Amino acid sequence: MRLSAEPRSGTSDRASGWIANIQRFSLHDGPGIRSTVFFKGCQMRCTWCANPEGLTPGWDIFFHADRCLHCGKCADLCPTGLHAWPDGLHLLDRKRPCTGCGLCEAHCPAGALDLVGEKLSADALFERVMADEIWFRQSGGGVTLSGGEVATQPDFARALIQRLKTEDIHTAVETAGYTPWRALEQATAGCDLIMYDLKSADDELHKRYTGVSNKTIVRNLKRLLQGGQPIVIRIPVIPYFNDSPEQAEKLLSLIYTLTRGRTGFKQIELLPYHRFGTGKYKLLNMEYGWNKADVDLEPWLQSALQYHLPITVSGTLAG
């Protein structure tokens, strides 16, 4: 997760923002070979979130406790007292701020600390992702803005998209849509593809497991569909949350109603639940709240067939 070897310092212009990571050579976040930029900051708190390091803006620290030598160098260097030593055990007091100085990471002899997060200008981020320009052009790929939530940083997103479009690079935005319309409109303006996450049509269920109502999300999707931009609706299929026949039918019925006659709607993409992000919770000293059984996709495939909705599973045509 380390983004640079030097201590970080942010810029103050409006066209700058926080990112957690750049994933190069991504094959599942839009067409072709892509670089996926993970923005930091999200208003939702999905119980199964695979990117907990993207929930808040600013810096985070991944702490590999099994590597720690308990030498105390990080505590001596930290300007805020983030590194605590109760009873001789190295813990991170995450109520204390991280300034992003990078001293603990740079001087840890065991490599037990990784600073996560960086504030970049849109131009600096553009230069980084364009290192893979040849792969974008040869594969029909490009750059995907993901998160966190892209629309928490609409000025940054818009500036980056505009910069990429000057070089005719395909741009995609992945969003959960829980944001004021003006921010979402700005964050997606000019992009070539919107990948819009929908999780449940049941508002109470949605509130219980994501922390927010789905009403704003549905309303914003309806407005985006009216604009005609290409949209793929992505559904994370989560066991014991939305993989029952009732939940599948309810959400696909809503999608059918919203997308009927809308030329911008391309397809539904099912994202089966996985546990790939669970290790990050341990590194952030956070509790992972979802560890259920394997997911059942069959109710979704059957309901999609009933409504004649184009659907894929992880990029593979499913019906």
Side-chain angles (χ1 to χ4, degrees):
M1 301 298 292
R2 188 173 178 177
L3 298 176
S4 68
E6 299 298 325
R8 285 72 159 178
S9 61
T11 56
S12 59
D13 57 285
R14 293 183 70 215
S16 66
W18 286 96
I19 68 169
N21 188 32
I22 302 172
Q23 181 177 302
R24 301 172 64 195
F25 306 109
S26 175
L27 300 176
H28 302 291
D29 294 314
I33 297 173
R34 312 187 69 80
S35 286
T36 302
V37 181
F38 291 90
F39 282 39
K40 280 178 70 67
C42 184
Q43 311 96 315
M44 300 174 68
R45 291 296 181 267
C46 301
T47 310
W48 52 83
C49 178
N51 297 310
E53 75 280 13
L55 293 177
T56 57
W59 291 280
D60 286 302
I61 294 179
F62 280 165
F63 174 41
H64 303 264
D66 57 329
R67 302 178 191 171
C68 181
L69 301 177
H70 303 282
C71 64
K73 288 186 178 180
C74 54
D76 293 338
L77 293 167
C78 180
T80 66
L82 174 64
H83 298 274
W85 293 86
D87 301 321
L89 181 66
H90 183 189
L91 298 175
L92 271 67
D93 183 357
R94 296 187 183 273
K95 294 180 181 179
R96 294 178 179 270
C98 175
T99 64
C101 67
L103 291 173
C104 65
E105 178 189 58
H107 292 276
C108 178
L113 300 165
D114 291 321
L115 191 60
V116 182
E118 190 168 12
K119 193 174 186 183
L120 294 172
S121 69
D123 285 340
L125 182 51
F126 168 81
E127 294 296 332
R128 290 199 187 179
V129 297
M130 287 298 284
D132 291 322
E133 178 183 3
I134 186 172
W135 302 110
F136 303 156
R137 299 203 186 280
Q138 289 184 355
S139 69
V143 177
T144 297
L145 281 56
S146 187
E149 172 54 59
V150 175
T152 61
Q153 303 182 73
D155 294 327
F156 185 42
R158 183 172 186 175
L160 179 59
I161 291 170
Q162 289 177 339
R163 189 74 175 87
L164 289 164
K165 296 315 293 180
T166 63
E167 299 295 330
D168 197 29
I169 300 298
H170 185 280
T171 57
V173 172
E174 183 178 12
T175 176
Y178 185 74
T179 182
W181 166 250
R182 181 176 178 82
L184 182 63
E185 183 182 37
Q186 184 173 351
T188 57
C191 73
D192 298 294
L193 175 66
I194 299 171
M195 293 180 288
Y196 199 96
D197 287 3
L198 275 184
K199 298 172 177 64
S200 175
D202 185 323
D203 192 42
E204 287 303 315
L205 193 68
H206 200 279
K207 288 177 184 176
R208 189 184 314 158
Y209 292 110
T210 73
V212 304
S213 169
N214 67 2
K215 293 180 180 178
T216 295
I217 295 168
V218 172
R219 183 167 58 247
N220 281 341
L221 175 58
K222 184 176 182 180
R223 294 188 70 170
L224 283 176
L225 287 164
Q226 291 170 348
Q229 282 176 279
I231 296 177
V232 170
I233 296 176
R234 302 181 108 187
I235 302 174
V237 184
I238 311 298
Y240 299 97
F241 169 66
N242 65 0
D243 67 338
S244 69
E246 295 77 16
Q247 290 298 322
E249 197 283 331
K250 192 172 183 178
L251 185 53
L252 289 178
S253 174
L254 173 63
I255 292 173
Y256 174 78
T257 301
L258 292 172
T259 61
R260 186 171 47 187
R262 299 299 178 187
T263 58
F265 169 64
K266 299 304 178 186
Q267 65 180 20
I268 295 167
E269 182 178 1
L270 300 181
L271 306 176
Y273 170 75
H274 60 75
R275 300 180 179 90
F276 299 153
T278 55
K280 300 178 186 177
Y281 284 80
K282 184 177 181 181
L283 297 178
L284 291 168
N285 193 30
M286 296 172 62
E287 182 178 352
Y288 182 62
W290 203 267
N291 197 14
K292 306 295 184 180
D294 293 335
V295 71
D296 184 8
L297 298 179
E298 191 59 28
W300 291 95
L301 302 179
Q302 291 299 321
S303 290
L305 184 65
Q306 173 188 343
Y307 287 104
H308 303 287
L309 290 167
I311 193 166
T312 65
V313 178
S314 297
T316 301
L317 188 64

